[in-house]
Amino acid sequence: MFSFFKKNPIKKLDKRYEAKLEQAMQAQRNGDIKGYAMITAEAEEIKLQMLALEKDSAK
């Protein structure tokens, strides 16, 4: 009945994903390649979660 009050979890994950990509870019610019790789891996995990939620919501 009040489903319009619920926040969209995909939007929240998208913001986290974009923030991680920004952090990764900054790490790469600073020459921290190991940090860049770790942060990029975290961003990819968030992207997989987003895709799973989108798949579930499409059903």
Side-chain angles (χ1 to χ4, degrees), residues 2-59:
F2 291 105
S3 63
F4 58 89
F5 287 124
K6 294 181 183 178
K7 291 189 177 184
N8 188 351
I10 296 173
K11 286 184 182 180
K12 184 177 179 182
L13 285 173
D14 188 45
K15 286 183 181 182
R16 286 182 53 204
Y17 176 71
E18 293 295 328
K20 285 291 180 183
L21 289 180
E22 183 72 26
Q23 285 179 341
M25 181 188 66
Q26 292 300 325
Q28 186 180 29
R29 285 185 176 175
N30 291 331
D32 184 9
I33 302 304
K34 187 176 182 180
Y36 167 75
M38 292 174 58
I39 296 169
T40 302
E42 292 173 8
E44 290 301 317
E45 289 177 19
I46 294 170
K47 184 68 171 179
L48 290 174
Q49 291 174 358
M50 287 171 44
L51 292 173
L53 283 174
E54 288 174 356
K55 184 179 176 184
D56 288 343
S57 67
K59 290 182 179 181

